Amino acid sequence: MTSLATSPPKRAFWLALLLNFLWINASEVFRYFAFVMPLMRSSLPQVQDVAPMNLPVFMIWGVWDTVLVFATTGLSWLLLERFGPTLRNAIYAGSAIWATVFIILWLGLWNMNLATTQVVLTALPLAWLEMLIAALIVRWAMVRGCLD
């Protein structure tokens, strides 16, 4: 547990938030266009306009990404501040956030027949990597902030 005297400054948190905003948005867009959208369209052709990309959908994804950035950065920060900014704890934090958000999302979609096993088995590892890197970004900013 860190004390107030050794806790990283607020600007380290804002740096982590900014970097995660860039990272998570890039990762989400890449994963969707490169894997999820084509897989959903090929595996669910009977669903009209499955995996669309238009302005309303783009706006909703913007809200999703914003919530995801704040949740991932904030929860990683809290966990690393409480348990220490070690590499192991960053991996735990990223994995816990991934399980909380993405496993619940994709398990629910799969359970309702709105995603195939192939889509789930492609999307989940990529989402885990995204959350792992996001937690490592928080750790890096936090450790860097303590050194300033």
Side-chain angles (χ1 to χ4, degrees), residues 3-145:
S3 71
L4 289 175
T6 61
S7 65
K10 290 179 185 178
R11 70 176 181 255
F13 176 80
W14 291 108
L15 175 63
L17 194 66
L18 172 66
L19 292 175
N20 271 337
F21 179 80
L22 297 171
W23 162 246
I24 289 172
N25 276 283
S27 178
E28 289 284 312
V29 167
F30 172 75
R31 184 173 63 249
Y32 183 73
F33 281 107
F35 298 103
V36 174
M37 185 171 61
L39 285 171
M40 293 290 282
R41 288 180 177 176
S42 69
S43 62
L44 297 171
Q46 69 277 17
V47 178
Q48 183 179 348
D49 201 26
V50 69
M53 185 43 68
N54 52 41
L55 185 59
V57 170
F58 184 76
M59 300 292 282
I60 290 169
W61 279 116
V63 172
W64 162 265
D65 286 355
T66 302
V67 170
L68 188 58
V69 167
F70 278 102
T72 301
T73 306
L75 291 172
S76 293
W77 188 274
L78 290 173
L79 289 167
L80 293 175
E81 193 171 53
R82 172 64 178 94
F83 297 108
T86 66
L87 184 60
R88 183 184 71 190
N89 288 341
I91 292 169
Y92 289 160
S95 298
I97 294 163
W98 167 76
T100 302
V101 175
F102 288 98
I103 288 183
I104 289 172
L105 169 72
W106 285 105
L107 184 61
L109 289 171
W110 182 76
N111 188 52
M112 294 184 298
N113 289 326
L114 296 173
T116 63
T117 302
Q118 180 186 16
V119 173
V120 171
L121 293 177
T122 302
L124 280 177
L126 293 171
W128 179 75
L129 185 62
E130 177 185 311
M131 293 297 98
L132 184 65
I133 292 172
L136 291 170
I137 288 170
V138 171
R139 177 188 180 272
W140 174 83
M142 184 177 272
V143 169
R144 182 181 175 278

